[in-house]
Amino acid sequence: MVVPGDFYPSPGFSCRCRYLYVCLLAFVATQLLIFGAIFHRKCSYISWLWRGCAVRKSQCPLISPHLIGRFEVETYVPAWQTIIENYPMLQNGGRYQPADCEARHRVALIIPFRDRDIHLKIFLNNIHAFLMRQQLDYGIFVIDLEEGIPFNRALLLNVGFLEANKVHDYQCYIFHDVDLLPENDHNTYSCPEQPRHMSVAIDKMNYRLPYMTIFGGVSAMTREQMLTVNGYPNKFFGWGGEDDEMYNRFALIMSEKKHYHQDGLSSLKYDVTKREERRLYTYIRVAVDRKQLATS
């Protein structure tokens, strides 16, 4: 029985519909292949349709095209808001990645800190531009001790190393005093095969080393190198001595003498009392028990 108004397609009409459907599928598949080839998309068909996916960037060149060589360091003291406005491309926590290429180096700057706000402003106002020109994937970590605890540079460097590891897969760690600034961006902030002392020429020392085994100021080490020597010693409260011991630790490793340093990363115990991802840097304040460190 046929109800008036009902429509029954003819066999020819059904074939044409199937043909159009196949053509549509072929067209969509072809467009996906073309887009994938042009933009190097690395994602599934469904994710591309519904969420989109990031364009895979090419690796940054070995030598950044943005380097300018020697430059004048800005020594005036800007306001915090001025520095923030100078670097709108920063992510919270003082993190940055090049927009146009994939960085070859993932670098964490560890800054031991105590009551040096003026130095910190000058440092951040200069160092961000310097690191960006080198096309680094980097973050800056400022590590502080609770008031009442004597300053301990080496311990703070250990804390910074451990805390930065929790944030990102960094390859290289630059341990950097806040009152030192580079004057030439060809001084690349990356880690070679051996630990590197980077502040070998300082203006106040007439650009000469005070002694050949110095390892302080600014030093670069990989994660593996830090773990091999168990980090810096924690026992140096006050100022000085920790850099010479770190140099001696690496000297033992390079001479293939087997020696395990118990004082270091493995013995460090601390409590994070404050952590803030500020626009220009990540601020971390810690508390430690000196008596516990002395017996560990």
Side-chain angles (χ1 to χ4, degrees):
M1 182 180 294
V2 176
V3 178
D6 280 358
F7 173 72
Y8 290 88
S10 66
F13 181 84
S14 178
C15 289
R16 287 194 298 271
C17 286
R18 285 197 297 270
Y19 176 76
L20 291 173
Y21 179 71
V22 171
C23 289
L24 179 61
L25 285 179
F27 174 78
V28 171
T30 302
Q31 294 304 306
L32 290 175
L33 289 173
I34 292 173
F35 285 137
I38 295 176
F39 297 109
H40 305 288
R41 296 186 183 275
K42 189 178 180 181
C43 56
S44 65
Y45 170 76
I46 296 297
S47 67
W48 186 88
L49 278 178
W50 295 105
R51 295 190 299 272
C53 63
V55 175
R56 186 172 58 192
K57 296 183 290 188
S58 60
Q59 198 170 40
C60 296
L62 286 171
I63 300 177
S64 170
H66 307 304
L67 301 182
I68 59 176
R70 189 173 178 84
F71 59 92
E72 288 293 326
V73 174
E74 300 286 351
T75 57
Y76 73 97
V77 185
W80 284 118
Q81 188 58 37
T82 300
I83 309 174
I84 292 171
E85 291 173 358
N86 286 342
Y87 300 105
M89 66 292 292
L90 283 175
Q91 303 170 23
N92 285 340
R95 293 188 58 187
Y96 173 81
Q97 295 173 328
D100 56 348
C101 59
E102 183 179 349
R104 290 178 176 269
H105 305 284
R106 301 186 299 275
V107 181
L109 264 70
I110 312 299
I111 317 298
F113 182 79
R114 167 153 288 180
D115 298 330
R116 306 286 289 275
D117 281 355
I118 290 178
H119 284 101
L120 185 60
K121 287 180 179 179
I122 297 172
F123 178 82
L124 293 170
N125 192 45
N126 284 275
I127 202 69
H128 277 299
F130 171 86
L131 298 171
M132 289 177 183
R133 290 199 300 270
Q134 295 189 354
Q135 295 183 309
L136 302 175
D137 175 352
Y138 73 87
I140 296 179
F141 300 83
V142 176
I143 317 298
D144 199 358
L145 267 173
E146 281 290 340
E147 295 183 6
I149 303 174
F151 185 73
N152 188 323
R153 179 179 182 273
L155 183 148
L156 293 176
L157 296 179
N158 282 342
V159 170
F161 172 78
L162 294 172
E163 292 297 316
N165 268 325
K166 299 176 183 178
V167 174
H168 191 42
D169 183 26
Y170 291 112
Q171 306 159 305
C172 179
Y173 299 81
I174 310 292
F175 302 100
H176 209 303
D177 286 353
V178 73
D179 58 354
L180 292 176
L181 280 166
E183 298 176 290
N184 191 317
D185 55 20
H186 290 291
N187 182 10
T188 307
Y189 273 35
S190 62
C191 287
E193 293 183 2
Q194 297 295 333
R196 180 162 61 133
H197 182 222
M198 303 182 71
S199 53
V200 294
I202 299 176
D203 57 351
K204 292 183 178 180
M205 297 181 181
N206 295 318
Y207 297 100
R208 295 181 179 179
L209 285 174
Y211 54 96
M212 293 304 298
T213 59
I214 190 172
F215 199 66
V218 185
S219 303
M221 286 176 267
T222 66
R223 178 188 299 154
E224 292 73 19
Q225 290 161 356
M226 275 289 286
L227 295 175
T228 296
V229 298
N230 199 24
Y232 283 85
N234 299 312
K235 62 185 179 183
F236 288 96
F237 285 89
W239 296 88
E242 75 283 345
D243 296 314
D244 291 334
E245 176 154 333
M246 176 56 92
Y247 177 88
N248 292 332
R249 291 187 178 200
F250 279 111
L252 285 172
I253 294 296
M254 288 186 282
S255 65
E256 298 182 355
K257 293 180 180 179
K258 292 183 178 180
H259 184 80
Y260 180 74
H261 300 274
Q262 294 182 345
D263 178 28
L265 293 171
S266 63
S267 63
L268 178 58
K269 295 179 176 62
Y270 63 92
D271 295 313
V272 175
T273 58
K274 189 173 185 178
R275 182 188 186 99
E276 294 179 350
E277 288 196 349
R278 300 174 182 176
R279 190 65 174 176
L280 299 169
Y281 62 96
T282 297
Y283 176 79
I284 299 173
R285 185 190 298 165
V286 298
V288 296
D289 186 334
R290 289 187 65 183
K291 294 182 180 179
Q292 188 180 45
L293 287 173
T295 59
S296 60

